[in-house]
Amino acid sequence: MPTEIVVLTVGFMVGFYMAWNIGANDVANSMASAVGAKAITLRQAIFIAGILNIVGAAFIGSHVTDTIRKGIVSPDVMSDPHIALLGALSALLAASLWVSFATWRSLPVSTTHSIVGAMVGFGIAMGGVSVIHWPVLGAVVASWVISPVFSLIIGFVMFKLIVRAVLSKPDPYVIALKRAPWFISITVFIIAMSFLFKTPLGKNLALSTPAAALISLIIALSLGFLGRRLIVYKLDEEKKLRLGAEAIFRRIQIGTSCYVALAQGANDVANAIGPLAVIYFLVKKGTIGATVPVPFFLLLFGGVGIALGISMGGARVIQTVGSRITTLSNTRGFSVDFSAATTVLVASKLGLPVSTTHAAVGGVLGVGMARGFEAVNFSIIFKIMLYWVLTVPIAAITCVGIFKFLAWLF
């Protein structure tokens, strides 16, 4: 059997494995706060996230991917098709193994940074440190601080605002119901703006910022008042008495978690399918350009892999983010989702590097600290941050070893 066919077959297997790992680890970004706050059960979260990730990956996922992920290494090292083939396969496998290990340890890591680290290793193996674009790598390092700190501050402020405006009032349920349209509207506004700027489908629409803001505002106000009517319609008397204001934020939080799951499938599928698309086109055409189109069947292939990863391995990281850092209620869970979505949107618009994984953890930390430092499990926070820092170097070293082995084998 020709070498290229062997590499393509292995590439599909490793690409599926990477997609599986994305599902198992990144699902915590969207569903951890909802499960931690008991807005939905773990089984419901896995089902919802699985469906929305397939839809996000297949229908609004990346249709074109950078050949050199995030511009991290010089394109010169990919000029030889055979070397590019082995490099893409090595990067996929190295990133998959690291994310898999982190998932086994129940810790959330950035799958994007895993691929970046693997590409750094491939670049160094081929051309030494001079082929690495160090400013791009420096931006990745900066995101270890920017994303969680932004999200921590926003989550802290939002939860304090809810306490002041709702929970500290004599009848929190009545006040929460009265102010629900505004909480829903501001959340939908952020989500709509994020969708228009952050998803590949939104980018293809190429709307200007004022046009996107106007469309988002109209959608936000409409859904704000419609959402209040639905909450009133759906809530029964027993839940009103038992949960009070938390019952209202519980409904809002389910909506925000669904958005993050949809966007996650759309954005993260490229981490698994991007390198696979490079392998696919190298075998099929013998060459690749600066960017590579991603066929629909590959997006669907990645989406199914992500969904299976969620169903088979998603529980571990969800439980870490949702319940081991701090105790979450529905108002705190809402604050986490709001802070993560806002951080990703604002930082992206400012051109700052962000990670949804880091933003989600930062938001949980922020609402925990709003209750005092004693409410936060800092030992688990230390472990999570250690894994963030280790992601790039370990993925890089692993990729060097795999690439050397494959180059010897083929």
Side-chain angles (χ1 to χ4, degrees):
M1 185 182 291
T3 302
E4 285 73 15
I5 300 301
V6 174
V7 173
L8 180 62
T9 304
V10 176
F12 267 94
M13 294 168 64
V14 178
F16 194 81
Y17 179 49
M18 182 63 185
W20 188 94
N21 278 296
I22 291 171
N25 199 290
D26 277 3
V27 68
N29 298 344
S30 56
M31 291 294 158
S33 63
V35 173
K38 297 183 173 52
I40 50 178
T41 65
L42 183 59
R43 182 172 295 184
Q44 288 171 329
I46 287 170
F47 179 76
I48 293 169
I51 297 292
L52 291 178
N53 267 272
I54 289 179
V55 172
F59 295 101
I60 54 176
S62 293
H63 297 290
V64 174
T65 185
D66 296 336
T67 355
I68 312 297
R69 183 75 195 163
K70 303 292 182 190
I72 205 78
V73 300
S74 169
D76 294 340
V77 301
M78 298 283 278
S79 57
D80 183 332
H82 181 69
I83 295 297
L85 201 62
L86 298 184
L89 185 59
S90 305
L92 255 185
L93 186 54
S96 302
L97 290 173
W98 170 246
V99 177
S100 196
F101 178 75
T103 305
W104 174 65
R105 298 286 295 163
S106 305
L107 295 170
V109 294
S110 169
T111 52
T112 303
H113 291 181
S114 301
I115 283 287
V116 166
M119 288 306 298
V120 168
F122 167 60
I124 291 175
M126 278 307 302
V129 294
S130 61
V131 303
I132 305 300
H133 292 163
W134 292 103
V136 179
L137 187 58
V140 170
V141 173
S143 76
W144 296 338
V145 177
I146 293 170
S147 310
V149 170
F150 262 42
S151 193
L152 185 154
I153 295 170
I154 296 170
F156 183 93
V157 171
M158 174 52 81
F159 183 63
K160 286 289 188 185
L161 179 68
I162 292 173
V163 171
R164 188 181 181 89
V166 178
L167 300 181
S168 62
K169 300 297 180 184
D171 192 342
Y173 175 78
V174 173
I175 297 296
L177 195 58
K178 185 179 177 182
R179 294 177 179 167
W182 304 110
F183 282 110
I184 296 172
S185 293
I186 190 172
T187 307
V188 172
F189 180 78
I190 295 294
I191 286 174
M193 288 285 280
S194 300
F195 194 88
L196 292 174
F197 287 125
K198 281 293 290 175
T199 66
L201 179 64
K203 287 174 184 172
N204 287 339
L205 295 175
L207 291 172
S208 65
T209 300
L214 180 61
I215 293 171
S216 301
L217 185 62
I218 293 170
I219 295 172
L221 290 174
S222 304
L223 291 184
F225 288 94
L226 178 63
R228 181 186 181 280
R229 292 178 71 87
L230 285 174
I231 288 171
V232 172
Y233 176 74
K234 284 284 186 181
L235 277 182
D236 55 46
E237 288 300 322
E238 187 273 332
K239 284 185 178 174
K240 290 177 189 175
L241 293 173
R242 182 164 54 86
L243 300 173
E246 297 291 338
I248 293 169
F249 283 93
R250 182 180 190 178
R251 299 284 174 184
I252 303 173
Q253 194 194 354
I254 293 172
T256 55
S257 297
C258 289
Y259 156 71
V260 181
L262 190 70
Q264 178 182 295
N267 289 311
D268 289 356
V269 69
N271 290 335
I273 298 308
L276 178 57
V278 171
I279 296 170
Y280 176 74
F281 275 93
L282 277 169
V283 171
K284 192 176 178 185
K285 297 186 175 180
T287 184
I288 51 172
T291 58
V292 176
V294 182
F296 176 79
F297 83 90
L298 281 184
L299 293 170
L300 185 61
F301 180 75
V304 171
I306 291 174
L308 277 178
I310 292 169
S311 62
M312 296 168 69
R316 299 177 74 93
V317 184
I318 283 180
Q319 284 167 348
T320 297
V321 180
S323 56
R324 291 179 62 193
I325 297 174
T326 192
T327 304
L328 292 176
S329 61
N330 297 119
T331 45
R332 292 176 202 135
F334 165 78
S335 303
V336 171
D337 288 343
F338 181 82
S339 65
T342 306
T343 297
V344 172
L345 172 63
V346 174
S348 298
K349 287 301 292 175
L350 292 174
L352 301 172
V354 289
S355 157
T356 309
T357 302
H358 299 179
V361 172
V364 174
L365 184 57
V367 299
M369 290 173 66
R371 300 164 53 218
F373 283 88
E374 67 278 4
V376 178
N377 181 350
F378 282 101
S379 67
I380 193 70
I381 288 291
F382 175 77
K383 281 184 187 173
I384 290 171
M385 290 184 174
L386 178 63
Y387 272 61
W388 291 354
V389 174
L390 290 175
T391 293
V392 169
I394 289 188
I397 293 168
T398 308
C399 186
V400 170
I402 294 172
F403 178 73
K404 294 286 185 187
F405 175 73
L406 291 179
W408 170 79
L409 193 63
F410 296 107

